[in-house]
Amino acid sequence: GQNIDQPTEMTATEGAIVQINCTYQTSGFNGLFWYQQHAGEAPTFLSYNVLDGLEEKGRFSSFLSRSKGYSYLLLKELQMKDSASYLCAVPFNTDKLIFGTGTRLQVFP
Amino acid sequence: GAGVSQSPSNKVTEKGKDVELRCDPISGHTALYWYRQSLGQGLEFLIYFQGNSAPDKSGLPSDRFSAERTGGSVSTLTIQRTQQEDSAVYLCASSLVGGENIQYFGAGTRLSVL
């Protein structure tokens, strides 16, 4: 079966760095997605990892270790607008996504 | 259109009534997905359409739920005889099949069953 775990809530200070972890168990692996969702809005795509290692996109980076079933999203130079939920998701049966419950990040000044 | 459009954005209904939720995907996207997001829960897959293939209905929670996609574009999710536990945000997403298959989401319909 498929299972994804991520922390429910995290807090951080503006300007700091925060790491949001995601562990998954899946039969077959076709990559891992991170989405950002502000309250009341659509989830928006952040990153997709299919190979091991770190991928950097500006202030956001995503890391994947397939052997450990582990990923993290790293947010640097936090801004107030980064307060949102961060959703980890893996595809199953090729096209559908199974999502974790999401990590709600609150950034304080 | 520029993005995935869903309507209505909010729907309040009485228990036992039927509701229809609409999704207009990104032009040219052949895949369309419906998800449900309940308070404090992750996104729950409901149904998936891909081109002219038979839809994958494996996520529908009961036979009160159905969906159709007309002309390979607009989709309607119908919930019959609504129950209070159906209250949730219903999200639609579309994607170009193949490659990274990134799903692009609409803002959702918030359904409240009283």
Side-chain angles (χ1 to χ4, degrees):
Chain A
Q2 317 285 330
N3 190 49
I4 298 179
D5 287 309
Q6 38 179 148
T8 305
E9 291 196 13
M10 298 183 71
T11 60
T13 305
E14 198 173 14
I17 298 172
V18 70
Q19 177 175 312
I20 302 174
N21 296 325
C22 171
T23 57
Y24 63 90
Q25 295 172 325
T26 180
S27 53
F29 182 76
N30 294 304
L32 184 143
F33 290 84
W34 283 96
Y35 281 82
Q36 179 191 58
Q37 186 179 26
H38 287 99
E41 297 183 12
T44 55
F45 169 78
L46 287 178
S47 67
Y48 173 68
N49 293 67
V50 66
L51 299 176
D52 289 350
L54 184 69
E55 292 198 9
E56 299 186 62
K57 285 185 183 179
R59 294 189 300 114
F60 290 12
S61 302
S62 55
F63 172 84
L64 175 68
S65 169
R66 288 173 296 172
S67 62
K68 295 181 180 178
Y70 167 69
S71 174
Y72 67 73
L73 184 68
L74 193 70
L75 289 71
K76 303 176 187 175
E77 301 168 16
L78 279 173
Q79 302 176 8
M80 298 296 290
K81 67 178 181 180
D82 297 330
S83 293
S85 289
Y86 292 85
L87 314 178
C88 174
V90 294
F92 72 103
N93 292 347
T94 307
D95 297 310
K96 298 176 286 190
L97 288 178
I98 181 168
F99 284 84
T101 55
T103 299
R104 185 175 169 224
L105 173 66
Q106 289 186 289
V107 180
F108 294 98
Chain B
V4 178
S5 177
Q6 292 188 245
S7 61
S9 55
N10 285 282
K11 176 71 177 178
V12 180
T13 190
E14 293 179 349
K15 178 181 173 181
K17 301 275 182 150
D18 297 352
V19 295
E20 283 190 353
L21 313 179
R22 177 189 166 104
C23 173
D24 201 341
I26 293 172
S27 178
H29 280 191
T30 59
L32 186 146
Y33 312 79
W34 283 97
Y35 294 88
R36 179 168 69 176
Q37 189 173 33
S38 302
L39 193 63
Q41 303 292 318
L43 273 72
E44 174 191 5
F45 166 78
L46 296 177
I47 188 169
Y48 160 56
F49 295 89
Q50 170 49 46
N52 296 321
S53 302
D56 179 344
K57 305 179 182 179
S58 60
L60 294 178
S62 78
D63 59 9
R64 296 186 295 105
F65 288 71
S66 63
E68 62 178 22
R69 188 179 186 192
T70 53
S73 181
V74 172
S75 176
T76 303
L77 177 69
T78 300
I79 309 173
Q80 296 179 308
R81 305 181 302 281
T82 52
Q83 304 294 312
Q84 288 185 332
E85 60 263 28
D86 299 334
S87 296
V89 176
Y90 290 83
L91 290 161
C92 175
S94 70
S95 72
L96 278 171
V97 177
E100 294 179 343
N101 198 22
I102 297 168
Q103 295 185 21
Y104 297 88
F105 286 82
T109 294
R110 181 175 297 277
L111 175 66
S112 299
V113 182
L114 303 179

